[in-house]
Amino acid sequence: MPLSPFCPLEYHWIGVVTEVPFEWTAANTDKVLNAALDLAKIAFGAILGAKLTQWQKRRDKRADQEHRLSQLVLRVRTNPVANDMAGELISMRNFFLNDCPELLRSPGNQDFFGKWLNDPTISLLAETRASGFWTKEKLEELNRDLGTLEHPK
């Protein structure tokens, strides 16, 4: 008789292996249930571990985006040379477009992007470093608008 994977094997003292017929007893039922629970724990643990890793990566990415946006805002606010302001705004535009486009979904960030970062005058100023564009009023308005930016959540 061929050996079945569903029946336990019985070893005899003379080295002959025979099949033992499987009977549904309480002990066998417990063994089957325990094996199924062990398999479920392994599968659930793998799924849970993958989800936790995915959540951790998302959280780390948001923390990195938060830090980078804060650094860009700080660089714009503390820039001592007004003619270099356009370069800092170009860096911020690249951050929004390339690294963090999902931040442009919020209306406040869209307004800031349209007003300051998408302005062709800013691109021209970054190339030429022309003076006279940044008045005290424009710098104050830029600082006010920087305060309305929404950071990653």
Side-chain angles (χ1 to χ4, degrees):
M1 207 188 313
L3 297 177
S4 167
F6 302 108
C7 294
L9 301 176
E10 185 177 276
Y11 296 93
H12 296 284
W13 63 275
I14 56 173
V16 178
V17 178
T18 60
E19 289 185 47
V20 177
F22 185 77
E23 297 177 16
W24 280 102
T25 63
N28 285 341
T29 304
D30 286 344
K31 288 179 186 176
V32 170
L33 287 175
N34 286 338
L37 286 174
D38 288 344
L39 184 62
K41 285 178 190 175
I42 291 169
F44 183 70
I47 291 169
L48 182 63
K51 286 295 180 187
L52 286 174
T53 302
Q54 183 182 24
W55 177 75
Q56 181 70 33
K57 285 180 182 178
R58 240 182 308 159
R59 202 180 95 191
D60 290 346
K61 180 182 176 187
R62 278 194 301 265
D64 180 52
Q65 290 171 345
E66 170 81 28
H67 177 72
R68 291 180 59 208
L69 183 58
S70 297
Q71 290 295 104
L72 288 168
V73 168
L74 182 66
R75 282 178 29 198
V76 169
R77 284 189 169 160
T78 60
N79 190 351
V81 181
N83 291 346
D84 292 340
M85 191 71 69
E88 301 296 339
L89 291 175
I90 295 293
S91 297
M92 191 177 283
R93 179 176 71 188
N94 291 337
F95 168 75
F96 274 108
L97 291 178
N98 300 330
D99 301 335
C100 205
E102 62 270 8
L103 285 180
L104 290 175
R105 291 187 195 136
S106 79
N109 291 353
Q110 285 178 359
D111 293 342
F112 181 84
F113 187 87
K115 183 175 181 179
W116 293 105
L117 305 179
N118 212 22
D119 186 2
T121 309
I122 301 296
S123 299
L124 183 64
L125 286 173
E127 294 172 10
T128 62
R129 292 183 47 122
S131 60
F133 178 78
W134 294 107
T135 62
K136 181 180 178 184
E137 292 79 21
K138 279 200 186 239
L139 290 172
E140 287 173 354
E141 184 180 3
L142 176 61
N143 262 335
R144 262 194 322 273
D145 290 347
L146 281 171
T148 65
L149 281 176
E150 294 178 26
H151 293 261
K153 295 175 184 170

